[in-house]
Amino acid sequence: KRRRAIIFAGVFACLVLGAIACLFLKPRYNAAGEIEIQKSATDGLGLENLTNPLQEESTDALDANITLQTQAAILQSTSLALKVIKDLNLENTQDFKPSFNPIWWAIGLFTPHGSTDQSTADLESAPHRRDHAVKVFEKHLKIKPQSGTRLIDIQYTSSDPKIAAAVVNDVSKSLVDFTLNSRFAATSQVSNWLSGQLADIKKDAEQ
């Protein structure tokens, strides 16, 4: 009873601080997407299926899990993050603008300053800006493979709902582009090898 006034004052102060926080804090929007990792042939052109049409494709659970984890790692790679940041110009959005941190400001007073980034340089040529942008992107991005399936969940949080949805869509598209480019490179290598073999066979046939 003696401390009743202190208790009421503390509760009232917490309510006031909570109300102020609700008024000034910006809402966060979470966009979610889901992609399926399809089975792929063991070689670039699927020649194994052509030469063995009656052979069923093996369904190794360990291999499927490795494939899923590999695709999830690609989604969280720095190269894909930089591609999405450049595609959507995320560096100029509100979430990527540096905020004042008194602790890091105090530390910076006693640490030597290295080279600074040029304001006109692109993101790949500015290491400080690049590291900051990648860290912010990775902080807001969440990649989670679903166990027992070939599905990967993609979530991104932003203060702008349109940006959150655009990032999820662009991340999914970037993985598709990466997969197509990888298959195209493998197909080109196999095609070049087959062209060399056919040239040798043609030469032998002419002789």
Side-chain angles (χ1 to χ4, degrees), residues 7 20 110 173 186:
I7 294 174
I20 294 174
F110 301 97
K173 180 179 178 299

Side-chain angles (χ1 to χ4, degrees), residues 105-123:
W105 176 79
I107 295 175
L109 295 177
F110 301 97
T111 56
H113 297 282
S115 59
T116 58
D117 298 331
Q118 296 182 0
S119 58
T120 58
D122 57 355
L123 192 60

Side-chain angles (χ1 to χ4, degrees), residues 33-35 65 68-69 144-153:
E34 190 178 72
I35 59 175
N65 183 63
L68 197 66
Q69 295 296 331
K144 183 179 180 181
Q146 296 184 15
S147 60
T149 68
R150 292 183 175 271
L151 301 176
I152 298 179
D153 292 329

Side-chain angles (χ1 to χ4, degrees), residues 119-140:
S119 58
T120 58
D122 57 355
L123 192 60
E124 295 181 353
S125 303
H128 299 292
R129 287 169 46 209
R130 182 180 66 242
D131 293 343
H132 172 73
V134 171
K135 287 180 181 179
V136 173
F137 185 83
E138 291 176 348
K139 179 181 178 181
H140 294 176

Side-chain angles (χ1 to χ4, degrees), residues 19-189:
I20 294 174
C22 291
L23 290 175
F24 288 96
L25 286 180
K26 295 182 179 180
R28 309 295 298 178
Y29 300 92
N30 182 56
E34 190 178 72
I35 59 175
E36 179 184 0
I37 307 301
Q38 296 287 349
K39 297 179 181 180
S40 59
T42 55
D43 54 9
L45 292 174
L47 298 178
E48 187 180 64
N49 295 333
L50 295 176
T51 55
N52 300 282
L54 299 179
Q55 181 180 2
E56 295 183 357
E57 186 177 357
S58 61
T59 56
D60 189 355
L62 179 60
D63 183 66
N65 183 63
I66 292 175
T67 302
L68 197 66
Q69 295 296 331
T70 302
Q71 299 297 320
I74 294 173
L75 287 171
Q76 301 176 81
S77 63
T78 302
S79 58
L80 189 141
L82 288 174
K83 180 182 181 301
V84 176
I85 292 172
K86 292 175 63 177
D87 290 345
L88 302 178
N89 195 22
L90 296 178
E91 193 180 10
N92 294 325
T93 59
Q94 186 64 34
D95 292 338
F96 283 74
K97 293 181 179 179
S99 57
F100 177 75
N101 190 325
I103 297 178
W104 286 109
W105 176 79
I107 295 175
L109 295 177
F110 301 97
T111 56
H113 297 282
S115 59
T116 58
D117 298 331
Q118 296 182 0
S119 58
T120 58
D122 57 355
L123 192 60
E124 295 181 353
S125 303
H128 299 292
R129 287 169 46 209
R130 182 180 66 242
D131 293 343
H132 172 73
V134 171
K135 287 180 181 179
V136 173
F137 185 83
E138 291 176 348
K139 179 181 178 181
H140 294 176
L141 180 68
K142 183 179 180 181
I143 304 296
K144 183 179 180 181
Q146 296 184 15
S147 60
T149 68
R150 292 183 175 271
L151 301 176
I152 298 179
D153 292 329
I154 304 174
Q155 297 183 12
Y156 190 83
T157 305
S158 175
S159 57
D160 190 334
K162 294 182 179 180
I163 292 178
V167 169
V168 171
N169 292 331
D170 199 70
V171 167
S172 304
K173 180 179 178 299
S174 298
L175 179 63
V176 174
D177 294 340
F178 176 85
T179 304
L180 292 177
N181 291 333
S182 299
R183 291 182 179 178
F184 177 77
T187 302
S188 299
Q189 292 179 358

